[in-house]
Amino acid sequence: MVVLKKILDFYINSSLHVALSAFALVSMTQFFSNIDGGLSVAFFAFFGTVVGYNFVKYDALARLNKNKIKKELKGIVLISFLSSIACFYFFLQLSWVTQTSAFVFLGLTLLYTLPFFPNKQNARNWKGVKIYIVGITWVGVTVLLPLQEAHVAFSYDVFLMSIQRFLLVFSLVLVFEIVDIKFDDPHLQTVPQKIGVKLTKKLGYILLLLLLALEFFYTNNHHFLPLFFKFIVCGTIAIFLFFANENRSRYYASFWLESVPILWWLVLVVF
């Protein structure tokens, strides 16, 4: 069990799990949009997420137990290095338009991590901004890039899909913020820090209901399958929201919650 726990911890800490969620969401976008964008953009999202998240997390890792860092950091650096090579390879497979958009979202990641102005904090530490940058970046990588790579023009339906994905990611991050409320710097002004846990959960429920309601406004008459799957996903996230509290283990959000898009994708693959 100890060995399995170490493997699981490394899998989570090296951002492979969240990267698999990104791969799954890109695949969902392609499936529900009836496009064959190939695997290049999905693998680019996967490896790019590994590199981006590990890059962002280095600062946080530095504040963890030093012995733990020594054991894990070499492996994480190796995975990040190999992922950067793979990310660059799949980046070259994309069209120049998609590549240009990818640079924009890379800029958001850097803005989130690095201070661009002297004596200023990075965007990660700006009050209340973190959740919006995360949401916009995930919309760009998992919705706009695959559609752009498939030469799908921006339309009303694409706008609706982007809003739905933002609401989905926003709701997921709310669970993380509730679980991490004891550890987050009060200066961050996360949603539960500003309005409390109870109101944060109510906000999450409203956003999930709005996500489902938007399904009825598509102009291409979405079929039952997308609504059914989104209902399952929203219901699952609502359950996670309901049981979320500051005493939950790190696996509650970092593993189980982030497994929701993966399970959604696997069900479609199987059936």
Side-chain angles (χ1 to χ4, degrees):
M1 289 297 293
V2 175
V3 174
L4 289 177
K5 183 179 183 301
K6 288 183 177 180
I7 293 174
L8 178 61
D9 287 342
F10 182 77
Y11 170 67
I12 295 172
N13 292 338
S14 60
S15 302
L16 291 173
H17 192 56
V18 67
L20 193 56
S21 295
F23 184 97
L25 287 174
V26 170
S27 300
M28 291 301 96
T29 298
Q30 293 173 330
F31 178 85
F32 288 123
S33 300
N34 296 313
I35 60 174
D36 182 17
L39 290 174
S40 293
V41 66
F43 279 119
F44 170 76
F46 176 86
F47 291 111
T49 300
V50 172
V51 176
Y53 264 70
N54 285 343
F55 182 63
V56 168
K57 282 158 56 175
Y58 279 135
D59 178 60
L61 282 172
R63 292 192 294 269
L64 296 177
N65 183 277
K66 299 299 181 181
N67 293 327
K68 184 178 179 181
I69 291 176
K70 290 178 182 178
K71 293 177 181 178
E72 288 189 342
L73 190 57
K74 289 183 180 179
I76 292 175
V77 169
L78 176 60
I79 285 180
S80 300
F81 175 71
L82 295 176
S83 295
S84 65
I85 295 175
C87 180
F88 182 68
Y89 169 78
F90 287 108
F91 174 81
L92 295 178
Q93 310 305 310
L94 305 177
S95 66
W96 70 269
V97 177
T98 308
Q99 289 176 347
T100 303
S101 298
F103 270 114
V104 173
F105 299 113
L106 171 63
L108 277 176
T109 303
L110 293 176
L111 178 66
Y112 182 75
T113 310
L114 302 174
F116 277 80
F117 304 101
N119 302 319
K120 298 293 183 181
Q121 296 176 316
N122 56 36
R124 188 181 185 184
N125 294 309
W126 295 351
K127 291 184 179 180
V129 172
K130 168 187 171 182
I131 194 170
Y132 299 101
I133 293 180
V134 172
I136 292 171
T137 303
W138 275 79
V139 169
V141 173
T142 67
V143 176
L144 299 182
L145 291 189
L147 292 179
Q148 202 166 49
E149 184 64 13
H151 307 292
V152 176
F154 190 83
S155 64
Y156 173 75
D157 284 352
V158 172
F159 175 73
L160 279 184
M161 184 180 293
S162 300
I163 295 297
Q164 284 183 310
R165 187 62 51 84
F166 180 84
L167 294 175
L168 176 70
V169 174
F170 200 101
S171 301
L172 289 170
V173 176
L174 288 180
V175 179
F176 275 91
E177 292 189 342
I178 292 173
V179 173
D180 293 339
I181 191 171
K182 288 193 302 186
F183 307 102
D184 283 335
D185 187 336
H187 175 80
L188 288 177
Q189 290 292 290
T190 62
V191 176
Q193 286 175 340
K194 293 172 68 175
I195 66 175
V197 172
K198 288 185 178 180
L199 285 179
T200 299
K201 291 184 177 184
K202 291 180 181 180
L203 173 63
Y205 301 144
I206 293 172
L207 295 180
L208 292 172
L209 287 174
L210 179 58
L211 189 160
L212 290 174
L214 290 176
E215 193 68 22
F216 297 96
F217 290 88
Y218 280 90
T219 59
N220 64 357
N221 296 320
H222 265 203
H223 300 293
F224 173 75
L225 185 62
L227 177 62
F228 175 72
F229 270 88
K230 288 172 185 177
F231 179 80
I232 293 176
V233 171
C234 289
T236 306
I237 297 173
I239 293 173
F240 274 99
L241 263 173
F242 181 81
F243 289 104
N245 61 63
E246 60 186 29
N247 296 317
R248 291 293 178 185
S249 73
R250 61 187 294 266
Y251 302 110
Y252 184 82
S254 297
F255 181 75
W256 295 112
L257 179 66
E258 286 185 348
S259 297
V260 173
I262 301 171
L263 292 175
W264 179 27
W265 169 61
L266 287 177
V267 168
L268 279 182
V269 170
V270 172
F271 294 103

